[in-house]
Amino acid sequence: MDIGVVLQCTPPASRVIDLARRAETHGFSHVWTFDSHLLWQEPYVIYSQILAETRRVSVGPMVTNPATRDWTVTASTFATLNDMFGNRTVCGIGRGDSAVRALGGKPTTLAALRESIHVIRELANGRSATLGDTTVRLPWAGASRLEMWVAAYGPKALELTGEVADGFILQLADPDIAAWTIDRVRCAAEAAGRDPASITFCVAAPAYVTDGSVEALAHARDQCRWFGAMVGNHVADIVARYGRDGGVPTALTEYIDARRGYDYNEHGRAGNSHAEFVPDEVIDRFCLLGTPAEHLSKLSVLRELGVDQFAVYLQHDAKSATLEAYGEHVIPFIDEPVTATS
């Protein structure tokens, strides 16, 4: 199992780049960032510097969307980064949340998401794509390689993911919900004539390493409570679309009953003022909290479900400590050890 990290592009950019550099040093495989250009700094500029100062990590947005960026510009940006730094990018994409809503807009349709995935992938892999009546191509991008990973929760979005995506991003770490979503994606892939094994499965959630004490766990929960509120935005959309009897697990939907709106000025921020409704039980299910052994235990469960990467949301007060703890006590022990002699 790979371990990635998800950063916000909060000024100064130099600190984001430093965290990415340290993540590679500690064995992380991917450096993802939010893509919300009003709330934080422009991620693609920062990717260029991260790639210049690292050697192995792949970078990309978790997640971009089809609404706020022209698809051909997005493809050209990825292809340029690949040409400069050797195909070390991946594009996470969804219908749109903070980047769209902060502008007063709404998430795109699934049809637009499907089309954007096709256009961006074809162009960023050196092939041609049709936009309206025009067929276009990046003539210099023949060696570029880019995978499209889709972030999804609802049944129709999961179906689309199985039909067209190279990877699936689930932004929570509840094993029961992960099992349900992974199964939906695999079934959709099979129905579309695809090999489900060709899809990379990524779970992303906050991780906070503690000393095992009750006090430390309480602090970790408070630092990660924002995540349940963020997920609640997507869940509210799902409930509005499908209702509570629309086939979505109650473990994903019932906790938002106490939700009372959301302020995107505090999006993804520890200690924000609109996360009080999220109960401790939801934080424990959605996140990874506790000792390194407890992290390894939950990661083992996710790996058995077919998860290929766990990406650590690093939006709390222990950024450096989490990178170090994962590098020393988690990443080296995730997979079966390989010995020099037997």
Side-chain angles (χ1 to χ4, degrees):
M1 177 187 281
D2 287 335
I3 301 293
V5 64
V6 187
L7 307 174
Q8 283 177 343
C9 294
T10 305
S14 57
R15 187 179 185 214
V16 181
I17 295 159
D18 179 59
L19 287 169
R21 187 191 308 112
R22 282 190 278 162
E24 180 179 76
T25 298
H26 287 299
F28 288 75
S29 62
H30 291 68
V31 175
W32 305 89
T33 74
F34 287 46
D35 178 6
S36 201
H37 59 286
L38 289 182
L39 301 180
W40 305 290
Q41 292 181 323
E42 172 57 34
Y44 293 90
V45 176
I46 295 173
Y47 295 157
S48 184
Q49 193 66 21
I50 291 173
L51 289 166
E53 297 197 18
T54 58
R55 294 294 177 267
R56 297 180 305 279
V57 294
S58 296
V59 304
M62 189 177 282
V63 295
T64 193
N65 69 84
T68 56
R69 299 182 186 275
D70 181 276
W71 306 345
T72 63
V73 175
T74 297
S76 180
T77 301
F78 278 110
T80 301
L81 291 172
N82 284 338
D83 178 66
M84 293 172 66
F85 302 106
N87 289 331
R88 290 165 56 202
T89 66
V90 58
C91 181
I93 192 167
R95 294 176 57 221
D97 183 39
S98 62
V100 178
R101 297 186 196 272
L103 290 167
K106 296 180 180 180
T108 63
T109 64
L110 288 175
L113 176 59
R114 181 187 296 269
E115 185 180 2
S116 72
I117 291 167
H118 174 74
V119 170
I120 295 169
R121 178 164 50 203
E122 294 306 291
L123 294 180
N125 282 279
R127 300 185 291 265
S128 62
T130 300
L131 289 166
D133 297 327
T134 304
T135 298
V136 296
R137 186 170 185 173
L138 302 176
W140 44 268
S144 174
R145 296 295 177 263
L146 178 72
E147 290 190 351
M148 302 294 293
W149 294 16
V150 177
Y153 293 104
K156 292 294 185 182
L158 294 169
E159 183 178 326
L160 179 150
T161 302
E163 291 171 350
V164 304
D166 300 301
F168 165 51
I169 297 170
L170 174 64
Q171 291 167 304
L172 56 83
D174 181 293
D176 292 336
I177 297 172
W180 176 76
T181 57
I182 290 171
D183 181 67
R184 295 294 292 251
V185 171
R186 285 173 171 164
C187 288
E190 289 180 351
R194 302 182 67 202
D195 179 4
S198 68
I199 301 172
T200 302
F201 292 94
C202 174
V203 162
Y208 202 107
V209 180
T210 76
D211 60 8
S213 68
V214 173
E215 295 78 12
L217 178 59
H219 179 76
R221 285 169 173 162
D222 285 342
Q223 285 292 305
C224 298
R225 200 173 303 274
W226 65 269
F227 184 69
M230 185 190 82
V231 173
N233 290 333
H234 302 289
V235 175
D237 285 344
I238 293 170
V239 171
R241 181 180 179 90
Y242 297 101
R244 293 195 177 275
D245 299 321
V248 181
T250 57
L252 183 59
T253 60
E254 61 186 4
Y255 84 97
I256 67 166
D257 287 341
R259 181 178 179 268
R260 297 291 182 269
Y262 193 86
D263 182 359
Y264 278 93
N265 288 305
E266 296 183 306
H267 184 61
R269 183 185 302 172
N272 67 40
S273 62
H274 44 75
E276 294 86 353
F277 76 94
V278 182
D280 289 349
E281 184 265 339
V282 166
I283 303 168
D284 293 346
R285 288 195 289 112
F286 284 13
C287 305
L288 268 68
L289 311 176
T291 64
E294 289 172 311
H295 285 246
L296 285 166
S297 177
K298 192 164 186 177
L299 288 170
S300 177
V301 172
L302 293 171
R303 183 180 58 191
E304 289 300 313
L305 293 174
V307 175
D308 301 294
Q309 180 183 153
F310 174 66
V312 176
Y313 273 100
L314 209 63
Q315 287 70 51
H316 50 56
D317 64 358
K319 295 178 178 63
S320 297
T322 301
L323 293 178
E324 183 174 351
Y326 259 67
E328 293 290 336
H329 304 296
V330 177
I331 292 175
F333 305 101
I334 288 174
D335 297 317
E336 292 295 324
V338 177
T339 59
T341 61
S342 59

